[in-house]
Structure formats: structure tokens, C-alpha cells
């Protein structure tokens, strides 16, 4: 008789792999010496673009570290931007009489061309001496790292630089671009063939709105590095950090990227764009389609539409211009403002909500409008009634995350018995149903797997290999569960974990109760010692 295949809970371990990078050994010319380059730049203050700034000479030196004759694909190098001359602070700079000490941060970009086409961000430190108007602003040199991905010649050309100066709580950017003709090549290196495991990033499909928050996920980044996200034109050029207003992106200790990034509300035209995420050395890109919401007939709904003074009205607006402020006020019968003026911000889809308290008994209308526009507005009636203000009590509840757990309906699987006859025989049994409970209340996934030992006879010597036991999983989510469950692939069991059921992570809340069943099959050897064989099936939930 074949019996007592007993599931039990176990711990699970994970392992990571590594990629070996191999470069070819070749003879090459000596490394090029860094040489100064000069070009004219036109600078524009992004806060005060009307402020005239004369073109200025940019004199710099670009160098690659380590300096050597050749490099290999997969190698990470540091690129240095060294200032050989400094621009003067414009005499017509408004408000301030000097640039405060340690207020200015330099940032720049280099264009890589040839065997590798990308843009490299470089940055210095916010460290400078106090500088009077008209004097040279001495800022720190800049540097950045990049992983080489293409064999051949790679050129490094200055694309732009900016100074970010903090004054009165505002970090103001002055952006400087080469005046035609473009800046000359600053450095050239030779890269030999090799291998590199580049990171990947996934941006949302479909259309997204300017000002919208988008989720980004990726892998193979430098573990625990600080990610930077920028948006590039469709051809992959002109990557700007400022096209995202904020982000919560992180890279974990396994190199996985997660988090959200919020598109800037303005300055992003409809069409195809490229999301670029870099960890300081390597980068990944994915396409993104941007389509601004087109406002239609503006609506404004009040709930309730009447009540005594003190009533809080929930206002809901749709089809407004996205990403703008809407001013809301109570008006009297003559159309004059007679109550508080509050401000709401429309969403990327042109919607807004606002709780508006009625504070004056003369209110007969509620008006919402964009800025001071006389056309982009909606006015709805409101009736102030007499009598006591309805009373209410605030209700709230806190739900703490629960556990991921599982249980089983029994602890023995009996394949019955068979009489040896010199033929291979197939015996059937059912896995005792397993119930998985995911009460964590997050967006997490889980996996239920099984491993099998050899079946050993009572004499302790004769065995039936574990691989003679196979299963065909059958899993289901119970009613009310928030996510679906996937069946594992029918397979033979053994020392390697075989999937029984799994639930993938998602961008929405997952969880619920799930049942795991399986049709078990035991194939007997053609010839074996008679006796009772037992083994252990171990189930692991992670």
C-alpha cells in the first residue's frame, strides 16, 4: 500500500544570478589627452525669461576617468566637466545685490554620439563664494557616470548647462545653450566589444495626461542607487528632468525599480515621448503617449443644493481646463460676492471637488470660475433655509494589515495499492485541499509550491523516485476575493519547487481566499520490491 504523503509548512530561500562580462584584448592607440574647448552660450533665466542676458564664452575641459587607450562594453566610466572660465552675474539681476554663498548648484548634460547615443547628466555641488553683480560666479566642476554599451568610437559633446540658484526660498534655473554652431566635441574614446546587462523600465501603455501621476517599474538597475527620471523627445533626445514635477521612485537591494512620477502640468505637447530612468551609470527607456484632456461643457454640481447657514456643500466639477486653479464664491441676488472665496485645483482630467461651507444667509448662488475669466465659469443656485443645522457624527475606522497564511483539509494522500505484474502502472489520488488566506491588504502577490522526497520502503533501502509522482493543479478564488489566482503547470515533482498556485502583484489592492487542489498521479516502476512506500510532499507559501 502506498500512503502517507504528508504536506507541511517550510521556509523558502531565493538566489540571484550574475552576468560575467568579457572584453577583447586588442592593441590600440594611446588615450587622447583632455584639451580645452570653447564655444558661445546663450543663457536664459527660466523664472524671468524676459531678463536679457548677453551671450558668454564657455571654456571647459571634458575628460574621461579612468584615462586609458581603450575601454570595454560594460565598463562604467566617470566623465568630468571642468570649468576653465566663469560667466559674470548679470548687472541687471533683479531684487538681489549679490549671489549668496553656497546658493548655486551647477547641472549639465553631455550628448554621447557614435557607437553609443544617449545623454549624460553631470552635476556639481552647491558650493560658491558670495558674488556681487557683475563679478564672475565661480561654481564647482561637474561629473557623472555612464556604462558603455556600444563598441566603436564614442564622442562626448556639451549639450547644455544650468545654474540653480536658491533665493527667497525659490530655486531658480538659468539654462545655457550653445549658440549656433553647436559646441565642439569635448572628448573621444574607443570602446572594444564586450557584454552588458542593461536595465529595463516599463511605463504605462495607453494615453496619459500632463500633470498625471504614472507608475514606473523596472529591473537590473544598480542596487540601492538613487534613480533620476526625465522625459525625452520621441527621437530620444532633449531629455529634461523638469518635465516631471516630482517622483517617489526607489531602487531596492535587488536592483528593482518601483514608484510613481508626476508629469509636469505644462510644457508637454501631445504625442509620443520617451521616459528615461538612470541610476547614475546605466539607463533604461520606454515610450509614453501624452494626450492632454480637452475641456467640454463645464459642469458644477452641489450636494446639497439647499440648507441653513453652516451647511457644508460638496461641489463637483467636470470638463474644466486640466491642472488649473478654480475660484469658488457664494454670490447674493445681485451677483456680488457675499461669502468666502476658496480655491480648488483641477485634475489632469479636468475634474475637481471642494467642500464649501455656507457662511452667509444672503447667498443665492455659487460661482466657480477659472481665474478671473468671465467665460470659463459656471453659476448654480443655492437656497439658504431656516432652521437648525443637521447634526452628524464623524465615522472612521483603521484597518491594520493581516497575514498571508494557509491550511489543509488533511495530512495524508493515499494512492491505494497495486499488484506487481512486470508492467508500469498508474495510480490516482487527490491532494487534500489547501486554502490560502491573503489578508495583507496590499498590492502583493504570493506563490504556493511543492517539493517531493523519494518514496522509501519499510526496509529503508528500496525506493520509488520522487519524479514518479506528478500533479495537475486546479486553483480558484472564492467569492469576494480581490484578485485572481493562476494554476501551476502540470509537472512531475521532485527536489525543485513545482508551482501549485500563484497570484501576481498588481497596481490595485490584492487579497482574498483561494483554494488549491490537484489531481495526483503515481507511476509505479516496472519492477520493484514489494512493500509499503512512504514519502513527504512539502508545500511552501511565500
Amino acid at each position: 500500500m502506498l500512503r502517507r504523503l504528508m504536506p507541511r509548512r517550510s521556509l523558502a530561500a531565493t538566489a540571484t544570478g550574475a552576468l560575467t562580462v568579457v572584453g577583447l584584448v586588442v592593441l590600440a592607440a594611446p588615450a587622447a589627452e583632455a584639451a580645452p574647448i570653447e564655444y558661445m552660450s546663450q543663457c536664459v533665466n527660466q523664472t524671468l525669461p524676459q531678463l536679457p542676458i548677453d551671450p558668454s564664452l564657455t571654456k571647459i575641459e571634458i575628460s574621461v576617468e579612468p584615462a586609458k587607450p581603450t575601454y570595454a562594453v560594460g565598463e562604467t566610466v566617470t566623465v568630468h566637466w571642468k570649468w576653465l572660465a566663469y560667466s559674470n552675474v548679470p548687472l541687471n539681476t533683479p531684487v538681489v545685490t549679490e549671489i549668496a554663498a553656497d546658493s548655486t548648484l551647477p547641472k549639465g548634460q553631455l550628448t554621447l554620439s557614435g557607437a553609443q547615443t544617449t545623454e549624460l547628466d553631470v552635476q556639481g555641488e552647491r558650493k560658491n563664494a558670495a558674488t556681487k553683480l557683475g563679478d564672475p560666479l565661480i561654481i564647482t566642476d561637474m561629473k557623472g557616470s555612464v556604462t558603455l554599451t556600444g563598441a566603436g568610437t564614442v564622442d562626448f559633446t556639451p549639450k547644455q548647462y544650468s545654474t540653480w540658484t536658491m533665493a527667497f526660498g525659490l530655486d531658480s534655473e538659468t539654462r545655457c545653450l550653445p549658440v549656433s554652431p553647436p559646441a565642439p566635441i569635448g572628448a573621444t574614446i574607443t570602446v572594444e566589444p564586450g557584454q552588458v546587462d542593461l536595465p529595463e523600465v516599463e511605463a504605462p501603455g495607453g494615453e496619459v495626461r500632463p500633470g498625471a501621476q504614472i507608475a514606473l517599474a523596472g529591473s537590473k538597475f544598480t542596487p540601492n542607487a538613487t534613480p533620476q527620471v526625465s522625459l525625452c523627445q520621441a527621437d530620444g533626445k532633449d531629455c529634461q528632468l523638469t518635465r516631471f514635477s516630482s517622483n517617489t521612485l526607489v531602487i531596492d537591494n535587488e536592483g528593482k525599480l518601483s514608484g510613481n512620477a508626476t508629469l509636469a502640468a505644462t510644457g508637454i505637447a501631445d504625442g509620443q515621448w520617451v521616459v528615461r530612468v538612470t541610476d547614475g551609470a546605466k539607463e533604461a527607456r520606454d515610450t509614453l503617449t501624452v494626450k492632454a484632456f480637452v475641456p467640454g461643457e463645464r459642469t458644477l454640481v452641489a450636494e446639497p443644493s439647499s440648507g441653513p447657514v453652516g451647511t457644508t456643500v460638496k461641489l463637483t466639477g467636470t470638463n474644466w481646463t486640466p491642472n488649473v486653479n478654480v475660484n469658488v464664491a457664494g454670490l447674493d441676488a445681485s451677483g456680488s460676492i457675499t461669502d468666502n472665496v476658496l480655491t480648488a485645483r483641477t485634475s489632469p482630467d479636468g475634474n475637481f471637488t471642494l467642500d464649501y461651507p455656507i457662511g452667509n444667509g444672503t447667498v443665492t448662488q455659487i460661482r466657480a470660475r477659472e481665474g478671473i475669466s468671465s467665460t470659463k465659469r459656471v453659476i448654480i443656485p443655492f437656497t439658504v433655509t431656516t432652521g437648525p443645522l443637521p447634526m452628524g457624527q464623524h465615522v472612521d475606522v483603521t484597518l491594520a494589515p493581516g497575514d498571508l497564511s494557509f491550511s489543509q483539509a488533511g495530512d495524508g494522500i493515499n494512492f491505494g495499492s497495486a499488484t506487481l505484474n512486470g508492467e508500469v502502472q498508474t495510480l490516482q489520488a487527490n491532494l487534500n485541499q489547501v486554502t490560502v488566506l491573503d489578508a495583507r491588504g496590499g498590492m502583493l502577490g504570493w506563490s504556493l509550491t511543492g517539493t517531493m522526497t523519494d518514496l522509501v520502503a519499510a526496509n529503508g533501502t528500496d525506493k520509488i523516485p520522487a519524479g514518479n509522482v506528478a500533479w495537475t493543479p486546479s486553483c480558484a478564488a472564492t467569492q469576494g476575493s480581490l484578485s485572481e489566482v493562476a494554476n501551476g503547470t502540470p509537472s512531475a515533482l521532485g527536489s525543485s519547487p513545482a508551482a501549485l498556485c500563484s497570484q501576481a502583484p498588481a497596481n490595485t489592492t490584492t487579497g482574498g481566499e483561494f483554494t488549491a487542489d490537484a489531481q495526483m498521479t503515481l507511476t509505479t516502476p516496472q519492477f520493484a520490491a514489494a512493500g509499503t512506500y512512504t514519502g513527504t510532499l512539502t508545500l511552501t507559501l511565500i
Side-chain angles (χ1 to χ4, degrees):
M1 183 178 291
L2 306 171
R3 53 186 176 85
R4 294 185 62 206
L5 290 100
M6 300 176 62
R8 60 185 175 87
R9 188 170 183 135
S10 71
L11 300 176
T14 60
T16 58
L19 174 68
T20 301
V21 179
V22 180
L24 300 180
V25 178
V26 298
L27 297 176
E33 295 291 333
I37 59 172
E38 297 181 2
Y39 59 93
M40 296 299 293
S41 292
Q42 177 63 63
C43 300
V44 176
N45 185 280
Q46 302 302 296
T47 305
L48 299 169
Q50 70 276 14
L51 176 71
I53 301 176
D54 294 332
S56 59
L57 177 67
T58 300
K59 186 175 182 180
I60 60 175
E61 182 180 273
I62 304 298
S63 61
V64 180
E65 182 185 16
K68 55 183 183 177
T70 62
Y71 302 81
V73 168
E75 188 173 352
T76 299
V77 298
T78 301
V79 181
H80 294 267
W81 174 309
K82 180 177 176 61
W83 301 103
L84 301 179
Y86 302 92
S87 298
N88 294 337
V89 180
L91 288 169
N92 58 348
T93 300
V95 183
V96 299
T97 59
E98 70 172 15
I99 302 300
D102 300 335
S103 64
T104 302
L105 172 70
K107 296 181 180 180
Q109 283 187 328
L110 293 161
T111 299
L112 276 64
S113 58
Q116 183 172 349
T117 55
T118 187
E119 292 175 347
L120 171 63
D121 298 321
V122 292
Q123 183 171 313
E125 299 178 82
R126 198 181 291 269
K127 186 176 181 181
N128 61 278
T131 307
K132 296 185 179 300
L133 304 188
D135 290 348
L137 177 59
I138 300 176
I139 52 180
T140 60
D141 296 333
M142 301 184 291
K143 65 181 180 180
S145 297
V146 62
T147 298
L148 304 174
T149 60
T153 299
V154 179
D155 296 326
F156 297 81
T157 304
K159 178 192 172 186
Q160 68 176 53
Y161 72 88
S162 296
T163 54
W164 291 79
T165 299
M166 183 67 69
F168 305 106
L170 175 67
D171 206 9
S172 178
E173 178 191 12
T174 298
R175 188 180 304 165
C176 303
L177 300 174
V179 177
S180 182
I185 295 172
T188 300
I189 63 173
T190 300
V191 183
E192 301 298 339
Q195 293 179 317
V196 61
D197 199 12
L198 294 175
E200 301 172 351
V201 66
E202 182 177 0
E207 296 178 349
V208 298
R209 310 290 193 195
Q213 184 182 84
I214 62 173
L216 297 175
S219 60
K220 302 179 184 178
F221 287 91
T222 302
N224 300 315
T226 300
Q228 280 194 331
V229 60
S230 56
L231 196 65
C232 316
Q233 300 286 352
D235 60 3
K237 299 178 181 179
D238 187 29
C239 301
Q240 297 290 341
L241 298 171
T242 52
R243 292 191 179 115
F244 286 99
S245 59
S246 63
N247 75 82
T248 59
L249 298 176
V250 294
I251 299 174
D252 67 15
N253 57 10
E254 295 181 350
K256 294 180 180 179
L257 173 79
S258 62
N260 299 312
T262 301
L263 288 167
T266 59
I268 303 178
D270 290 355
Q272 199 83 357
W273 293 81
V274 174
V275 176
R276 172 178 178 255
V277 179
T278 174
D279 60 14
K282 297 179 291 184
E283 68 172 51
R285 299 181 178 223
D286 196 14
T287 57
L288 186 72
T289 302
V290 177
K291 176 70 173 178
F293 175 77
V294 179
E297 183 178 353
R298 292 170 178 81
T299 68
L300 182 65
V301 176
E303 179 58 41
S305 59
S306 64
V309 172
T311 299
T312 296
V313 182
K314 181 178 182 180
L315 298 174
T316 302
T318 60
N319 282 327
W320 293 72
T321 303
N323 307 307
V324 299
N325 289 333
V326 174
N327 300 316
V328 178
L331 309 180
D332 61 19
S334 68
S336 300
I337 296 175
T338 189
D339 209 345
N340 296 320
V341 178
L342 302 182
T343 301
R345 183 77 174 175
T346 60
S347 71
D349 289 317
N351 302 324
F352 73 88
T353 60
L354 177 69
D355 288 336
Y356 186 81
I358 301 299
N360 193 304
T362 63
V363 170
T364 62
Q365 306 170 93
I366 297 176
R367 182 190 67 193
R369 65 177 177 179
E370 297 177 15
I372 58 173
S373 174
S374 61
T375 58
K376 299 177 181 179
R377 68 179 188 176
V378 175
I379 299 176
I380 59 175
F382 184 86
T383 302
V384 176
T385 61
T386 58
L389 183 69
M391 298 182 64
Q393 297 188 18
H394 180 70
V395 178
D396 60 23
V397 64
T398 300
L399 300 178
D403 296 324
L404 176 66
S405 61
F406 70 129
S407 59
Q408 57 188 11
D411 61 1
I413 301 174
N414 191 341
F415 282 96
S417 61
T419 302
L420 295 169
N421 59 5
E423 300 290 340
V424 172
Q425 301 182 61
T426 300
L427 304 176
Q428 303 286 342
N430 291 318
L431 177 73
N432 293 292
Q433 188 176 79
V434 177
T435 300
V436 175
L437 179 62
D438 183 1
R440 294 172 292 177
M443 296 182 287
L444 307 172
W446 53 265
S447 176
L448 181 62
T449 60
T451 57
M452 184 72 207
T453 66
D454 292 338
L455 282 74
V456 181
N459 60 18
T461 302
D462 296 302
K463 297 180 181 180
I464 298 175
N468 284 36
V469 180
W471 65 15
T472 300
S474 176
C475 310
T478 61
Q479 186 175 4
S481 296
L482 300 177
S483 46
E484 299 297 324
V485 64
N487 295 331
T489 303
S491 61
L493 301 176
S495 58
S496 297
L500 177 58
C501 303
S502 64
Q503 174 207 281
N507 292 325
T508 57
T509 303
T510 60
E513 186 174 86
F514 310 89
T515 58
D517 295 284
Q519 176 69 50
M520 309 291 296
T521 302
L522 172 63
T523 302
T524 66
Q526 183 179 6
F527 301 101
T532 297
Y533 291 73
T534 61
T536 301
L537 170 63
T538 300
L539 298 177
T540 302
L541 177 65
I542 56 173

